Amino acid sequence: MNLQHRVMLSLGSNEGDRLASLDSAIARIHAEIGTVIRVSGVYESPAWGFEGGDFLNVAILVHTLKKPSVVLKSVLGIEKKAGRIRTGTYSSRPIDIDILTWDDEVMETPQLSVPHPRMATRDFVLFPLRDVMPDFVHPVSGATVDDLIKALSESNCRRVGTLQLPGNGFPFGNFSYIAIEGNIGAGKTTLTTRIAEDFNAKTVLERFADNPFLPKFYKDQPRYAFPLEMSFLADRYQQLSDDIAQFDLFRDFIVSDYHVFKSLIFAKVTLAEDEYRLYRKLFDIIYREMPRPDLYVYLYQDTERLLANIRKRGRAYEQEIPAEYLEKINKGYLDFIKSQQGMNILVIDVSKLDFVKNQKDYLFILEEIRKKVLSATS
C-alpha cells in the first residue's frame, strides 16, 4: 500500500498567456499540494459548451498526503489567485483545474465526484491523460484510456507543445544508494517512503517491528540490551546484503531508512562496557563487508519534537522512552558524523519542519539533497 495518494488533475486555459498560466498553476500545485510526478504534452482544443477562444490543456499526476477535501480547496484557491471566477456556467478562464481520479477510488460528495463524471467523453482530457498514464483503466466502467479514445464520436484536439516538470529536476544525480537516518521518531521512514514513491526507488526499510526483544528492552534495558543489539545487527546485515546486492532493474536507485552504523551508535548507549567491547569486535568484522551509501542523510530532530512524534504514532512499547535516552542517541549520531572522513554526509535540521503536512518543507529537503549531490559530483 502506498503512503501517498495518486491523483490525476486536468488543467486548461483559454485566456491571457495560456501556456504561462498552465506552467504557473503546475508550479503552485507542486509547491502546495504534492509532488508533480508527470506532465502530459500540451493539447489545443476548441472551447467546449460556449463560444470562446481555444483552450490549452494538460494532465498531471500528483503524489500527495492530503485528503480529497483539502486538495479540492487548494486547487480552487489556485484558480482564484490566478483570476478564475466560478459563475456556474461555462466561460473563458485563465485557469481551470479538475480532479479526474483519486487512486482507484470512486467517491461521491456534494463537492466532488471521482472519477470526474464527464472525463470519458472529453478528448481534451483523454489525450493528455494517456500521455501521463497510458495504462489507465476507468475505475467504474473498466474501460482503458485507449478504449475511451476510440469511443469518441469526434476529436478536435491536437498536441501543440510540452511543459517541463516543476522543480530543479531529479535531485539524486547518478547516486545508486542513499541512506536516510535519524533518531527514534525523526521521520526517516516517512521521508524514505515518499522519496521512493516520487522518484521510482527501491526501499530498504528496517524490520524493527519483527524484533521480539524490542518491547522487552524498553521494560528492562540491562537484561535485554545485548540480545537486542545483536539481533538488530544480524538482521540489518542480512537485509542490506540481500536487498542491495539484488538491485531492481526497474528502479532507478535504492533508498534505505537506516545505515548499518546505527547498530554501533545504539549499542554504545545501551550496552555495558564489557558487552560493548565484544559487540564492537563483531561489528567491525561485519562492517567491512557492507556496501557504503553514496549519500548519508541525517535528519536532526530536537528531543521535544521526537517525544511528540513518538506519542503521536502510538507504539505502546515506545511510550516510556526517556528524553535522556533520545539525547544520548542524538549525541551518538553527531559524534559518528564528526568522525567520518570518507563518507558523503548531509545533516538537515528538521526540528522546525513538517515534511508530512507541509509540501514546501519536503521540497526544501529535496533541494538540500540536490545541492549536496551537485557539490559531491562537481
Side-chain angles (χ1 to χ4, degrees):
M1 183 177 178
N2 289 335
L3 174 69
Q4 302 178 95
H5 300 290
R6 290 166 57 87
V7 184
M8 289 291 306
L9 301 179
S10 175
L11 292 83
S13 174
N14 79 327
E15 199 172 69
D17 188 334
R18 299 173 297 167
L19 201 61
S21 294
L22 293 173
D23 196 44
S24 176
I26 293 170
R28 292 280 306 274
I29 291 166
H30 185 70
E32 299 173 18
I33 296 175
T35 311
V36 176
I37 303 302
R38 300 175 198 158
V39 179
S40 73
V42 180
Y43 289 79
E44 190 169 50
S45 62
W48 190 90
F50 69 99
E51 294 293 329
D54 289 350
F55 273 83
L56 292 184
N57 304 280
V58 296
I60 61 175
L61 173 62
V62 181
H63 286 175
T64 184
L65 291 162
K66 301 182 184 299
K67 297 178 180 178
S69 58
V70 175
V71 172
L72 178 61
K73 183 178 180 180
S74 297
V75 297
L76 292 177
I78 291 171
E79 287 184 344
K80 186 175 181 180
K81 288 181 180 180
R84 167 82 186 275
I85 300 174
R86 286 184 173 262
T87 62
T89 59
Y90 292 117
S91 62
S92 294
R93 53 258 196 204
I95 195 68
D96 180 34
I97 308 172
D98 289 321
I99 299 175
L100 299 179
T101 65
W102 189 279
D103 296 327
D104 294 321
E105 294 184 29
V106 177
M107 289 185 284
E108 190 67 45
T109 72
Q111 295 77 32
L112 180 64
S113 294
V114 174
H116 193 285
R118 292 175 292 280
M119 64 177 289
T121 60
R122 294 179 170 178
D123 57 352
F124 57 85
V125 170
L126 294 176
F127 281 101
L129 171 62
R130 184 169 63 178
D131 284 358
V132 173
M133 195 176 291
D135 57 351
F136 171 77
V137 176
H138 196 283
V140 175
S141 69
T144 67
V145 65
D146 285 330
D147 293 335
L148 295 172
I149 289 174
K150 289 176 184 177
L152 294 171
S153 57
E154 62 175 345
S155 175
N156 297 303
C157 185
R158 62 191 183 93
R159 181 168 175 147
V160 295
T162 59
L163 286 172
Q164 297 296 314
L165 277 170
N168 292 310
F170 186 73
F172 307 104
N174 60 358
F175 286 0
S176 60
Y177 170 30
I178 295 166
I180 296 176
E181 262 288 12
N183 208 330
I184 303 165
K188 52 191 176 293
T189 303
T190 298
L191 181 61
T192 297
T193 306
R194 284 200 74 177
I195 286 174
E197 290 178 0
D198 289 350
F199 298 100
N200 191 42
K202 176 181 177 180
T203 56
V204 179
L205 303 180
E206 186 169 21
R207 299 185 291 239
F208 63 88
D210 297 331
N211 194 308
F213 294 105
L214 193 56
K216 298 175 183 178
F217 166 77
Y218 285 126
K219 291 181 179 179
D220 189 349
Q221 290 193 21
R223 180 178 178 184
Y224 290 104
F226 191 75
L228 173 74
E229 299 302 344
M230 285 301 301
S231 62
F232 266 137
L233 179 60
D235 193 51
R236 287 164 184 157
Y237 171 75
Q238 187 68 57
Q239 185 180 22
L240 288 172
S241 298
D242 291 347
D243 287 358
I244 294 176
Q246 298 171 9
F247 190 77
D248 190 337
L249 295 177
F250 297 99
R251 301 290 179 176
D252 293 330
F253 63 103
I254 292 172
V255 57
S256 67
D257 69 349
Y258 70 97
H259 176 49
V260 71
F261 207 97
K262 77 179 299 177
S263 297
L264 201 60
I265 294 168
F266 278 77
K268 192 171 185 179
V269 173
T270 61
L271 298 181
E273 186 174 342
D274 55 342
E275 292 176 327
Y276 179 75
R277 284 198 298 269
L278 173 59
Y279 184 90
R280 181 64 192 256
K281 291 179 181 178
L282 297 171
F283 175 87
D284 287 342
I285 295 170
I286 288 176
Y287 189 60
R288 285 196 294 268
E289 305 299 320
M290 295 303 300
R292 306 292 194 270
D294 298 306
L295 178 63
Y296 178 99
V297 180
Y298 179 67
L299 304 179
Y300 174 81
Q301 186 89 267
D302 64 42
T303 305
E304 185 177 347
R305 280 284 300 275
L306 291 172
L307 289 169
N309 290 343
I310 290 168
R311 287 193 296 270
K312 184 186 295 184
R313 70 186 183 188
R315 295 172 188 157
Y317 58 83
E318 291 181 341
Q319 298 308 305
E320 301 302 320
I321 296 177
E324 294 77 13
Y325 177 72
L326 296 175
E327 288 167 1
K328 288 179 181 178
I329 297 299
N330 256 347
K331 183 178 184 302
Y333 272 113
L334 295 175
D335 288 345
F336 159 70
I337 288 168
K338 291 175 185 176
S339 70
Q340 297 304 299
Q341 301 298 321
M343 203 167 177
N344 192 24
I345 298 175
L346 171 64
V347 179
I348 304 177
D349 188 343
V350 296
S351 300
K352 296 182 179 179
L353 303 181
D354 189 335
F355 49 84
V356 173
K357 292 183 178 179
N358 192 332
Q359 174 70 4
K360 290 183 179 178
D361 288 346
Y362 173 62
L363 295 180
F364 169 79
I365 291 172
L366 292 183
E367 181 61 16
E368 291 298 294
I369 292 174
R370 188 190 70 84
K371 289 190 290 189
K372 183 67 175 179
V373 170
L374 285 175
S375 67
T377 56
S378 60

